[in-house]
């Protein structure tokens, strides 16, 4: 599960970089694209925030999975020690 969140975070980060790069390439010669650079900066900021939250969720998920795995291993060792 955490690996999927890492991939999602990386993808969103790439989109954020592309959106930020669009602030430098907008112009009147590009038909159909928003010409306002602040709009692209705002989109980049929100996508970057979503990427960071996704990676944070991935880190937290990985930590809790590790805690559960170690607790299960410890319980298995204790059961074997009682026999």
């Amino acid at each position: 599960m955490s690996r999927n969140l890492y991939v999602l975070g990386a993808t969103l980060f790439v989109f954020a970089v592309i959106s930020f790069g669009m602030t430098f390439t907008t112009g009147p010669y590009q038909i159909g694209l928003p010409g306002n650079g602040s709009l692209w900066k705002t989109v980049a900021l929100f996508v970057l925030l979503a990427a960071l939250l996704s990676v944070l969720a991935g880190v937290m998920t990985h930590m809790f999975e590790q805690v559960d795995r170690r607790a299960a291993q410890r319980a298995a060792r204790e059961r074997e020690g009682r026999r």
Side-chain angles (χ1 to χ4, degrees):
M1 177 70 178
S2 61
R3 189 175 301 150
N4 294 338
L5 291 171
Y6 291 148
V7 170
L8 176 65
T11 304
L12 288 174
F13 179 75
V14 168
F15 285 142
V17 169
I18 291 170
S19 296
F20 183 72
M22 289 298 291
T23 61
F24 301 112
T25 61
T26 57
Y29 54 88
Q30 293 176 332
I31 299 171
L33 290 177
N36 193 357
S38 64
L39 176 66
W40 284 110
K41 287 180 185 176
T42 304
V43 169
L45 181 67
F46 283 122
V47 173
L48 180 65
L49 181 63
L52 291 175
L53 289 174
S54 174
V55 171
L56 177 66
V59 167
M60 297 302 287
T61 302
H62 183 73
M63 288 174 55
F64 284 118
E65 286 174 355
Q66 186 177 11
V67 166
D68 287 341
R69 185 175 57 245
R70 287 187 179 180
Q73 289 173 351
R74 185 180 310 125
R77 278 196 312 265
E78 288 176 0
R79 280 193 304 262
E80 289 177 6
R82 291 180 188 169
R83 293 181 185 179

